Amino acid sequence: MGGVRWAFRCGSWTPTRSEWLLAARCVQREEKERIGQFMFAKDAKSAMAGRLLLRRLVCDRMGVPWADIRLERSPKGKPYLANPACSSHESLGWSFNISHQGDYAVLAAEQRLQVGVDVMKTTMPGSSSVPEFFRIMTRQFTDYEWSVIRRAGSEWEQLTMFYRHWALKESFIKAIGTGLGFNLQRAEFHLSPEPIAEGKVCRRTTMHLDEEEEEVWTFEETVLGNDHHVAVALGPSHTVRSVPPPALTYPPPSFTFLSFSDLISMATPLFEEDSAYWENFQKKAEAPERQRLTATV
């Protein structure tokens, strides 16, 4: 069985009342409550899509009934299946990770490998110039990486290269599950000479860890929607020994886009409907529009 790469366009998803309430019934109660605490609707949508992606994967590929899925987070925030006793033989050795930023939520999963994924949208800095933004972020990249970023061309092209590097670093950190304490300058990326583009997956970027090339790690890169960089980090599993890295035995998979219907096609509602949850979401969705109208008066 090959790896899984799924994406959901949460930016263009405008959930109806029935969709949002159904989605809320199909995630764990504490997940529903956490999602309900987001200040902005776009963040709530992204988080909801991420949880549904995870549950769809566990149900579809790992053979765990939807109602039996229990997802938890490691102390560093990486999701994992907390009730392996109820899972089937198919679930053994799976590693999975999600990311959501900008207009997309993405999931990557593999067997017998550690997996981390990150998506980053190229955007202009909100409150500073590009040079000032780069100055603030100086310690996040090595001198070599900064030379690559600054040689990219225009300020927009430099930002694009910045976020490409950032997605790569985040994918590695999420794969190894170390969290914010990892010194990002330890991992230096040497980008593939071939350009990355939407619909094309590149697997030629390499990483130097503590100034030595890491040959056991593979990095996949692609672009979604022209301005979203996606990086998938694939490394050796700590739980499976003496197994050749399967990621190198088949072409890198492209991301498959799922609809909301796809996300909940195997779902089983876990508890009763909460109409107040929709009202709370509507208030979040209406707030940015009210702010926009106020600003134009």
Side-chain angles (χ1 to χ4, degrees):
M1 181 183 295
V4 177
R5 307 288 186 273
W6 288 341
F8 179 74
R9 295 182 177 92
C10 45
S12 59
W13 178 38
T14 306
T16 63
R17 181 180 187 277
S18 61
E19 285 179 344
W20 190 248
L21 292 181
L22 176 58
R25 297 176 66 198
C26 293
V27 299
Q28 291 160 212
R29 193 177 295 274
E30 64 270 22
E31 295 171 346
K32 171 197 166 189
E33 293 173 356
R34 182 180 62 85
I35 292 168
Q37 292 173 359
F38 280 103
M39 183 176 296
F40 300 108
K42 63 181 181 63
D43 297 324
K45 289 193 302 176
S46 297
M48 183 70 78
R51 304 318 288 182
L52 292 174
L53 281 167
L54 283 173
R55 298 184 74 88
R56 166 66 193 266
L57 172 84
V58 174
C59 186
D60 183 27
R61 299 302 175 92
M62 300 171 65
V64 182
W66 192 282
D68 293 336
I69 297 171
R70 182 71 190 175
L71 293 168
E72 299 287 353
R73 296 173 185 268
S74 72
K76 300 297 185 179
K78 189 171 184 178
Y80 67 94
L81 182 63
N83 52 346
C86 73
S87 58
S88 68
H89 177 73
E90 295 175 337
S91 70
L92 299 178
W94 275 98
S95 173
F96 47 82
N97 199 226
I98 59 168
S99 178
H100 44 79
Q101 201 267 341
D103 299 328
Y104 295 93
V106 296
L107 174 145
E110 289 281 348
Q111 287 183 292
R112 304 192 304 276
L113 287 171
Q114 290 189 84
V115 178
V117 64
D118 196 62
V119 56
M120 290 300 301
K121 181 180 182 180
T122 300
T123 57
M124 295 297 292
S127 59
S128 63
S129 65
V130 173
E132 176 63 13
F133 175 63
F134 284 172
R135 186 193 66 78
I136 294 170
M137 303 297 290
T138 297
R139 297 177 63 184
Q140 309 306 320
F141 299 100
T142 67
D143 290 341
Y144 169 77
E145 289 170 328
W146 276 119
S147 70
V148 173
I149 292 169
R150 291 193 166 99
R151 289 200 310 265
S154 67
E155 286 193 342
W156 182 258
E157 290 168 328
Q158 291 180 46
L159 281 168
T160 297
M161 191 63 67
F162 173 93
Y163 284 113
R164 180 179 175 183
H165 279 83
W166 189 266
L168 286 163
K169 289 186 183 253
E170 284 291 316
S171 70
F172 175 65
I173 291 171
K174 293 175 72 176
I176 61 178
T178 58
L180 298 176
F182 185 85
N183 179 1
L184 292 179
Q185 288 197 1
R186 291 181 58 197
E188 179 179 272
F189 285 90
H190 293 241
L191 303 184
S192 165
E194 62 179 307
I196 59 174
E198 189 168 17
K200 178 182 178 182
V201 181
C202 167
R203 199 187 260 169
R204 295 177 60 187
T205 288
T206 60
M207 178 184 69
H208 290 220
L209 184 62
D210 298 328
E211 301 184 353
E212 294 188 10
E213 184 173 351
E214 281 287 325
E215 296 183 355
V216 296
W217 281 88
T218 299
F219 293 88
E220 298 173 355
E221 294 183 89
T222 191
V223 176
L224 300 179
N226 296 322
D227 55 1
H228 290 70
H229 288 276
V230 184
V232 178
L234 305 170
S237 172
H238 296 313
T239 59
V240 181
R241 303 293 183 183
S242 302
V243 179
L248 302 181
T249 63
Y250 58 84
S254 298
F255 276 85
T256 298
F257 287 94
L258 302 188
S259 65
F260 178 74
S261 296
D262 294 327
L263 291 184
I264 52 95
S265 63
M266 305 180 75
T268 301
L270 305 178
F271 39 82
E272 69 285 349
E273 184 174 288
D274 177 8
S275 59
Y277 201 72
W278 168 250
E279 296 168 4
N280 182 45
F281 176 77
Q282 273 194 310
K283 293 177 182 178
K284 301 176 194 293
E286 293 169 355
E289 181 63 16
R290 287 199 302 270
Q291 293 173 357
R292 186 188 68 81
L293 292 174
T294 302
T296 61
V297 174

